[in-house]
Amino acid sequence: MAELSPNPAPDYGMISTLWQVHQDADWPVSGDTHEGELMTLDTVVAGCVTYFLEERELDAQRVGILQDCLADLESLMSDLDSEAQTYFERLQQLGGWILQSRART
């Protein structure tokens, strides 16, 4: 009998569903000093997610961009209030899932 992984890699449907949740969410209003940077990160990661959902893959350039954005986002997380953290944790999860999905192919 095959052993099941405790954290199975996300599939396209999971990514698509979480993306819809993210698109339906309101922008977190916090007056954060990093708001401009957060908006840019949200836009760039969203572009990578959209590309992945349309093409079912990311090219090497987008992989690098996504990895950089996720690292930048991680460095800002401790400064965010709880509403913003929820919003950006979901964005991080989306980016991470895409990178995991890419690694499986």
Side-chain angles (χ1 to χ4, degrees), residues 47-96:
C48 290
V49 172
T50 300
Y51 185 89
F52 176 83
L53 291 172
E54 290 173 1
E55 302 297 325
R56 297 202 180 218
E57 66 181 3
L58 287 184
D59 56 40
Q61 181 180 2
R62 284 182 180 87
V63 168
I65 290 169
L66 182 56
Q67 289 170 331
D68 289 346
C69 285
L70 294 178
D72 291 347
L73 192 52
E74 182 62 33
S75 71
L76 298 173
M77 289 300 285
S78 64
D79 294 338
L80 303 178
D81 65 25
S82 62
E83 180 185 358
Q85 280 189 350
T86 299
Y87 183 92
F88 288 103
E89 284 171 352
R90 184 176 47 246
L91 192 65
Q92 283 181 307
Q93 186 172 26
L94 277 163

Side-chain angles (χ1 to χ4, degrees), residues 3-11 14 93 96-97 100-101 104:
E3 193 172 310
L4 295 177
S5 170
N7 295 313
D11 62 21
M14 291 170 64
Q93 186 172 26
W97 280 3
Q100 283 180 5
S101 293
R104 287 188 319 168

Side-chain angles (χ1 to χ4, degrees), residues 1 3 12 16 26 29 36 41-42 52 66 79 90-91 102-103:
M1 180 197 276
E3 193 172 310
Y12 181 84
S16 182
D26 291 330
V29 179
L41 291 169
D42 185 55
F52 176 83
L66 182 56
D79 294 338
R90 184 176 47 246
L91 192 65
R102 185 180 182 277

Side-chain angles (χ1 to χ4, degrees), residues 15-29:
I15 294 168
S16 182
T17 299
L18 188 59
W19 176 236
Q20 189 60 55
V21 169
H22 191 73
Q23 286 182 298
D24 292 342
D26 291 330
W27 177 260
V29 179

